[in-house]
Amino acid sequence: MMKIKTPKNGRIKREIEKRAPKLVETGKKTLILHGTKTSSVLNSALREIYHLKKENAIKYSRRNVDIRPFESGGETSLEFFSLKTDCSLFVFGSHSKKRPNNLVIGRAFDHHIYDLVEIGVENYKSMNSFSYDKKLAPQIGSKPFFAFVGEGFESVEELKHLKEILLDLFHGEVVTNLNLAGLDRVYVCTATSSKKVLFTHCALRLKKSGTIVPRMELVEVGPSMDMVVRRHRLPDDSLRKEAMKIAPESTKKKVCRVIICFLQF
């Protein structure tokens, strides 16, 4: 018989409760990893993705030889790191002659690989390559807009999948109230073909227009890159069905209302 130990320390109990499944996930953490070999372009891209998600991201700088996301057996280390860091999203960078400047973005469910999208990075421009008033730089942690331009995001399977993963990657925490002043940036994704997407990050400024609706002005602040979709893998039907299950609503509120009614009588 296997003996299950229950935590006695209060700090450990709270940490386990944080990692437990919830009805509404407030924020998804992202794990950023390096492959056996990376280029200067990839190193800069991974560093700036971490900067954009600094509040909900963990970055490992050590090279990982055993991680090969699209190969059987090459996902074991990736799933171990997902469990260790409690991250449900990951960005993995590698560079080779066959696939230069390669980024694999994926999601995990219950610390098992859910789906994957592999993209090639072309025409990369870092934040430092843009000249603008630094006062316009968006605040990290603010809620971003997303603009998807092109019919491919609705008709092409690869681009529809990439759209889902990008929204999950930069989604941030779920909020009920939103301050307009916190909407200070926008990610613009333009589909130029069935395999290529232009990705840009812009600061958003609201200007006076003489009407109730303000005039919006976009200032490109970076990073900027062309994403070329190479491979993608959709989740298995059984795993998708398990991930899409809706948990039953808590009945605590209903019980409390019944008790209050009895007390009134």
Side-chain angles (χ1 to χ4, degrees):
M1 294 290 290
M2 184 182 291
K3 187 178 179 181
I4 300 174
K5 294 183 178 180
T6 56
K8 296 180 180 179
N9 189 302
R11 182 179 60 83
I12 298 173
K13 284 182 180 179
R14 289 191 295 271
E15 188 64 30
I16 292 175
E17 287 176 0
K18 286 181 183 178
R19 297 192 176 202
K22 298 175 180 61
L23 288 174
V24 179
E25 296 288 344
T26 56
K28 297 181 179 180
K29 290 169 62 179
T30 303
L31 178 63
I32 300 173
L33 298 162
H34 292 255
T36 309
K37 184 180 179 183
T38 55
S39 62
S40 58
V41 170
L42 271 185
N43 290 335
S44 178
L46 292 172
R47 186 167 56 248
E48 295 196 350
I49 290 173
Y50 173 69
H51 176 71
L52 293 172
K53 286 186 58 70
K54 199 167 186 179
E55 292 184 347
N56 289 305
I58 296 173
K59 185 176 182 296
Y60 286 168
S61 57
R62 183 179 294 180
R63 308 291 176 180
N64 296 279
V65 182
D66 301 328
I67 297 179
R68 295 179 180 86
F70 282 91
E71 299 179 13
S72 60
E75 300 175 350
T76 308
S77 297
L78 193 55
E79 291 176 346
F80 168 75
F81 286 129
S82 173
L83 176 62
K84 181 181 178 181
T85 58
D86 191 31
C87 291
S88 57
L89 289 158
F90 64 88
V91 180
F92 176 74
S94 62
H95 179 75
S96 64
K97 187 176 181 181
K98 187 178 180 181
R99 292 187 175 87
N101 298 326
N102 201 55
L103 275 181
V104 178
I105 308 172
R107 296 179 287 186
F109 172 72
D110 195 20
H111 307 300
H112 296 289
I113 302 303
Y114 183 74
D115 59 354
L116 300 166
V117 169
E118 183 183 64
I119 58 174
V121 178
E122 297 179 356
N123 301 324
Y124 175 78
K125 294 180 181 178
S126 66
M127 294 179 181
N128 295 330
S129 61
F130 292 93
S131 57
Y132 58 92
D133 185 1
K134 297 304 178 183
K135 293 180 180 179
L136 297 178
Q139 298 295 320
I140 301 303
S142 59
K143 298 292 289 184
F145 279 115
F146 252 95
F148 291 94
V149 183
E151 296 179 357
F153 290 112
E154 302 298 330
S155 57
V156 182
E157 185 180 17
E158 290 87 348
L159 297 187
K160 287 170 67 177
H161 193 195
L162 178 63
K163 177 182 175 180
E164 288 181 10
I165 289 186
L166 286 176
L167 285 174
D168 250 4
L169 180 64
F170 295 102
H171 183 268
E173 292 190 4
V174 178
V175 295
T176 54
N177 296 320
L178 196 59
N179 187 359
L180 245 154
L183 299 171
D184 58 354
R185 57 198 177 109
V186 57
Y187 294 102
V188 182
C189 302
T190 308
T192 58
S193 67
S194 61
K195 295 284 186 180
K196 194 171 185 178
V197 174
L198 308 182
F199 178 88
T200 55
H201 180 217
C202 301
L204 178 63
R205 287 293 171 265
L206 304 177
K207 300 289 186 178
K208 293 181 180 179
S209 62
T211 62
I212 299 174
V213 181
R215 179 174 59 87
M216 291 185 290
E217 186 178 285
L218 297 181
V219 180
E220 194 168 357
V221 297
S224 171
M225 69 186 86
D226 296 350
M227 295 180 171
V228 182
V229 182
R230 290 172 177 167
R231 292 183 290 179
H232 80 117
R233 193 182 78 190
L234 295 171
D236 296 330
D237 292 336
S238 58
L239 189 60
R240 183 196 290 270
K241 187 177 179 181
E242 186 69 22
M244 294 297 178
K245 279 185 180 179
I246 300 175
E249 293 183 3
S250 177
T251 57
K252 288 182 179 180
K253 290 184 179 179
K254 294 181 180 178
V255 173
C256 290
R257 287 175 185 172
V258 172
I259 291 171
I260 290 168
C261 290
F262 276 118
L263 287 173
Q264 286 177 351
F265 284 107

